[in-house]
Structure formats: C-alpha cells, structure tokens
C-alpha cells in the first residue's frame, strides 16, 4: 500500500482526501498549522522522516483577493512552498502531485476552452504565482504532476470543513433573500470536490507535467446559475452582469493520459445532489 503525505490535510480538499482515500493508501499529514510558519529545512526534515511514496500538496492561499492584497504571503505559500515540496520529493525519491489553478488562464482574451500549452499572462497575483510554481516545480522535479483545478464545491456533511462555494452560495442566497451576481460573459467550469478526490488515484499515476483538472462547462456563469437553481428547485435573486472572463479548460490531455475524466458541470451538480439525498437517482 503506497504511503501518501498530504499537505493541507485539514483544508477543503485535503480533509476529503484523508476521508475518501483512507484504506486505499497509508495516509499521513503535515502537522496542523506547521506549514504556515515552517521553513524549507523543516519541510525537508519531515519528508525525510516520513519517507512517503507520494507527496500530495493541497495547501495554498487560494483566496485571490487576499493574494492580491498580500503578495508576499501568497508568494511564500503558492510558489516557495511547492518548490520546497519538489526539492524534498527529489531528495527522497517520492512522487509529487500538487494543485495549481484555473486562475493561470485569467486575463486571456480568447474564449477558450484552453489547453495546457496555451501561452499565459495571468491577470491576478494568485494566477501568476501558480503559474510560476508550475514552472519552477517542473524544473526541480520533471516527473511532478501539476493539477490546474477549477472552483470546487460541496455541501456541509460527512463532518468535513466547508467554505463558501457556488452551490452553497445559491442555497444561502435563496434562504436569506440575498442577491447573487453572475456575468453572461464569464465562462468557467465548476467541480464537485468529491469527484476530484476520486480521480486523484489516477492523477498519482500520470506522467509528469501540467494537467487541466476539473469539470468542463458549455455555458456562461449566469446561465450555469439559472440551470443549477432549476435543478435545486430554488429561486434566489440573480443579477445579470456582463463583465468578461474565461477560465474554460480543455480536459482532453487528462482523459487521454488517465483513461477517464470529469463529468461536465451540470452532471457533476446532479451527482452531488444525489450523494446528499437531495435528488432521486
């Protein structure tokens, strides 16, 4: 049974890794709070002590607004830390799977969907840092796997942490009479986080490189929200905006290399609701 060392094990993705993949791997984690203050030597020392087969790096500062306001913190968390993981993996012979983000595509003028070879010029600090991390990690460890993840969602349950996300935001707005704003010129996929975790065993076996990792979508976010509300049977106030952005990703590289891929955005939403008993099978 492979041993996987998980960073961010108490976070949105990491906690679900520890829950869903238990029994399939020997799972261990960086101590809670360690990575917020640890230096390169401390990270390497723990990896050497644990001797994992794979490091699964989910820890990050993923709030784009916070990264914009605190670029030095973002750089440490989103560039330096994954590089330390790569160096430690190289020294111990471990594999490395690290999460990147669809935000690397922010600022592109084309509509997409974008493949992994698309020339980038991200419009925000977070996206630029994730892109730099991809390049530097692969320079250190060419066999590393970098997963460009979309915005992920889940509902409260299973005793796991949850944060504001697309699905939960719709429910909350309907419950409290709030207005949500979505643009008819904003295009991106959104992904059921439990589906992403279920695909990680395939990701661990991928050849080194960058992979788009998330659900594809065939419509803008305003239409996506309308469709989701119809499925959910709720009617929050949705305000139509028209600001432009596209983070659409082409998932063909992952499907070819892994032999499988993600459900599309609408199918993933139905999958989530069925998991929580909110929709008939």
């Amino acid at each position: 049974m492979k041993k996987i060392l998980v960073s961010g094990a108490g976070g949105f993705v990491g906690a679900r890794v520890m829950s869903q993949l238990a029994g399939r791997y020997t799972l261990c984690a960086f101590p809670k709070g360690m990575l917020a203050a640890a230096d390169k030597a401390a990270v390497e020392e723990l990896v050497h002590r644990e001797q994992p087969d794979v490091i699964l790096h989910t820890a990050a500062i993923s709030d784009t607004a916070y990264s914009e306001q605190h670029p030095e913190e973002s750089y440490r968390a989103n560039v330096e830390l994954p590089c330390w993981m790569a160096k430690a993996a190289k020294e111990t012979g471990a594999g490395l799977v690290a999460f990147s983000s669809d935000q690397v595509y922010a600022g592109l003028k084309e509509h997409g969907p974008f493949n992994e070879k698309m020339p980038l010029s991200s419009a925000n600090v977070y996206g630029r840092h994730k892109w730099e991390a991809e390049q530097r990690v692969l320079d250190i460890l060419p066999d590393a796997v970098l997963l460009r993840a979309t915005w992920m969602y889940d509902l409260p349950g299973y005793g796991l942490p949850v944060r504001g996300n697309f699905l939960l935001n719709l429910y909350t707005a309907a419950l409290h009479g709030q207005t949500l704003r979505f643009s008819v010129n904003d295009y991106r996929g959104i992904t059921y986080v439990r589906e992403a975790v279920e695909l990680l065993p395939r990701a661990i076996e991928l050849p080194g490189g960058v992979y788009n990792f998330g659900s594809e979508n065939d419509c803008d976010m305003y239409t996506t929200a309308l469709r989701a509300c119809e499925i959910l049977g709720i009617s929050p106030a949705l305000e139509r905006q028209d600001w432009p952005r596209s983070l659409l990703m082409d998932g063909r590289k992952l499907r070819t290399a892994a032999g499988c891929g993600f459900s599309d955005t609408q199918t993933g939403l139905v999958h989530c609701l069925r998991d929580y008993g909110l929709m008939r099978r």
Side-chain angles (χ1 to χ4, degrees), residues 8 10 102 108 111 127 169 224 260:
D102 63 357
L108 295 181
H111 180 273
N169 292 351
T224 299
C260 63

Side-chain angles (χ1 to χ4, degrees), residues 15-255:
R16 285 158 177 80
V17 169
M18 301 302 287
S19 172
Q20 288 176 237
L21 301 187
R24 289 186 256 179
Y25 301 95
T26 299
L27 299 174
C28 58
F30 285 87
K32 183 177 180 180
M34 173 190 168
L35 295 177
D39 60 11
K40 177 174 175 285
V43 170
E44 291 180 355
E45 191 279 329
L46 189 140
V47 174
H48 279 267
R49 185 170 70 246
E50 291 291 346
Q51 290 291 309
D53 296 296
V54 179
I55 300 170
L56 179 58
H57 182 49
T58 74
I61 292 177
S62 57
D63 185 318
T64 55
Y66 188 90
S67 291
E68 208 71 32
Q69 296 163 6
H70 303 87
E72 291 183 1
E73 284 185 53
S74 175
Y75 194 83
R76 181 195 174 279
N78 296 324
V79 180
E80 292 182 339
L81 186 55
C83 288
W84 298 344
M85 297 287 180
K87 179 105 174 1
K90 183 177 182 179
E91 291 174 350
T92 58
L96 174 64
V97 178
F99 275 79
S100 185
S101 170
D102 63 357
Q103 290 290 334
V104 300
Y105 298 115
L108 295 181
K109 303 303 181 185
E110 296 86 349
H111 180 273
F114 305 116
N115 65 38
E116 293 84 350
K117 294 182 179 180
M118 185 73 185
L120 301 176
S121 181
S122 184
N124 59 57
V125 167
Y126 177 69
R128 289 195 295 272
H129 287 172
K130 284 294 190 179
W131 183 32
E132 180 177 343
E134 292 177 358
Q135 298 170 82
R136 290 183 58 185
V137 164
L138 288 172
D139 283 344
I140 297 166
L141 189 69
D143 288 337
V145 174
L146 287 304
L147 304 176
R148 289 177 177 170
T150 70
W151 190 17
M152 297 190 192
Y153 64 87
D154 201 359
L155 290 172
Y158 300 96
L160 298 170
V162 70
R163 64 190 183 196
N165 60 71
F166 176 77
L167 184 55
L168 190 58
N169 292 351
L170 290 175
Y171 269 124
T172 301
L175 182 64
H176 298 290
Q178 299 167 345
T179 298
L180 295 177
R181 296 167 179 82
F182 294 99
S183 172
V184 294
N185 288 312
D186 180 24
Y187 298 88
R188 70 185 307 185
I190 55 171
T191 304
Y192 181 29
V193 65
R194 297 182 68 82
E195 181 177 2
V197 172
E198 286 301 318
L199 281 174
L200 284 176
R202 296 291 186 99
I204 288 170
E205 305 299 330
L206 289 170
V210 176
Y211 296 84
N212 289 334
F213 193 73
S215 293
E216 295 166 279
N217 199 358
D218 67 351
C219 63
D220 62 82
M221 285 302 294
Y222 180 76
T223 303
T224 299
L226 289 176
R227 290 179 177 179
C229 289
E230 183 177 359
I231 294 171
L232 298 170
I234 58 176
S235 301
L238 301 180
E239 185 176 299
R240 180 185 175 118
Q241 304 280 300
D242 64 0
W243 48 269
R245 178 180 64 175
S246 181
L247 305 178
L248 289 177
M249 300 195 302
D250 183 334
R252 283 178 290 182
K253 181 180 178 182
L254 176 70
R255 288 194 294 272

